Amino acid sequence: MDDDRHIEEAFALAERGRGSAHPNPLVGAVLVQGGEVVGRGWHLGPGEPHAEAMALAEAGGRAAGATLYCTLEPCSHYGQTPPCADALVAAGIRRAVVALGDPNPLVDGRGLARLREAGIEVELLNERWRARARKQNAPFLKYVAGGLPLVTYKAAVTLDGKVAAAGGDACWISCLDSRRAVHQLRATVDAVMVGAGTLRRDDPELTVRLSEGRDPVRVIVTHRGELPLGAKVLATARETRTIVLAERADGAARRILEARGAELIEVGESGLRAGLAALAERGLLDILCEGGPTLAGALLAEGLLDRVLLFVAPLIVGRGAPDLFAAPAVGAVADAWRLHDVEWRPVCDDLLLSGSLTKDGG
């Protein structure tokens, strides 16, 4: 069907904004007139033209009578750019095919209503496409629903569920292609997060090196804000934005972090949930956790993990090595955390497992 072909292209266009559109959603738009694509657009980021506006600019007068294919409901409010719904009405489009309504309270059906009021035929696509749109914009949708970012835990793990050898050595569990894939992923997320233990043990840079792309914001989770003075993330905090989440920090720790160029956020006893909310308020909606078992276990236990990406390597290291999650064990299999929408794919000798995480099989 032509509708499927054109909305598929709109989804592909939306992906061009990944890594730059935040905190705005990814949106792609295609304008079709007489079976010919006359305009294409995608949103690159705050202050940049919206996807629909870009498509209209390319189409010019050929937008009159055209059909719009869009991955998300056109906006209906003034922000940094004018309302797209009004622009579409003014251009005289005949039909709008939309994958998903925008739950943002500033939109939430008003964009579609504006089109219908102008006599434009509006069609919302079926659940298959809605699910595709929800997956594409999962970080934005989670933030709109509850003020928290989407958190993905990434780890390299052995066949027996260990993330390092008994002595702490983890170089390298995964193969080179897997490590390249991680750097590609870093280039698309808003922030990479680790705990202070990982920082002390591995001294990671948390930058993009084995792939092209911009560096994500680096987030370090610690109790008191005390970090190794020689840590690479502190040495480069003025070049690559670095945030330290701490329950509390004394004056000395604060002065050291500020002198290095890192931003300190104190969250008190509210802990990880408050810290994640603070990151979301700063526009960091897509968080990749590369921390060790302690941080991963805390996120899991508090219900703050949304996705899991595991590079499973064909290695066995044996008893006594650190486990994937340092979380309290459940008493019965029925009470376990369960992944859904599970996918497996080979990466050199590894297998990459991805899935969404809920409890009770949800």
Side-chain angles (χ1 to χ4, degrees), residues 219-272:
V219 178
I220 315 301
V221 180
T222 176
H223 289 295
R224 295 182 176 83
E226 298 173 349
L227 300 176
L229 297 182
K232 293 173 184 175
V233 294
L234 292 184
T236 57
R238 294 196 180 279
E239 290 76 43
T240 302
R241 186 180 176 192
T242 302
I243 296 174
V244 176
L245 291 180
E247 292 180 6
R248 59 188 180 280
D250 61 24
R254 178 181 292 276
R255 286 190 294 273
I256 290 171
L257 293 174
E258 290 176 349
R260 296 298 180 92
E263 177 184 359
L264 173 64
I265 301 175
E266 293 184 83
V267 297
E269 295 181 358
S270 300
L272 281 172

Side-chain angles (χ1 to χ4, degrees), residues 46-119:
E48 297 292 333
H50 286 191
E52 303 93 322
M54 183 185 291
L56 286 172
E58 181 182 347
R62 293 178 296 176
T67 294
L68 168 75
Y69 295 88
C70 197
T71 58
L72 193 67
E73 176 182 358
C75 66
S76 56
H77 64 289
Y78 282 89
Q80 295 187 51
T81 58
C84 289
D86 287 352
L88 293 165
V89 170
I93 70 165
R94 176 184 63 83
R95 179 175 176 242
V97 179
V98 178
L100 187 69
D102 186 345
N104 183 339
L106 295 173
V107 185
D108 199 14
R110 295 181 181 87
L112 300 181
R114 176 73 181 94
L115 299 181
R116 290 188 177 107
E117 289 166 1

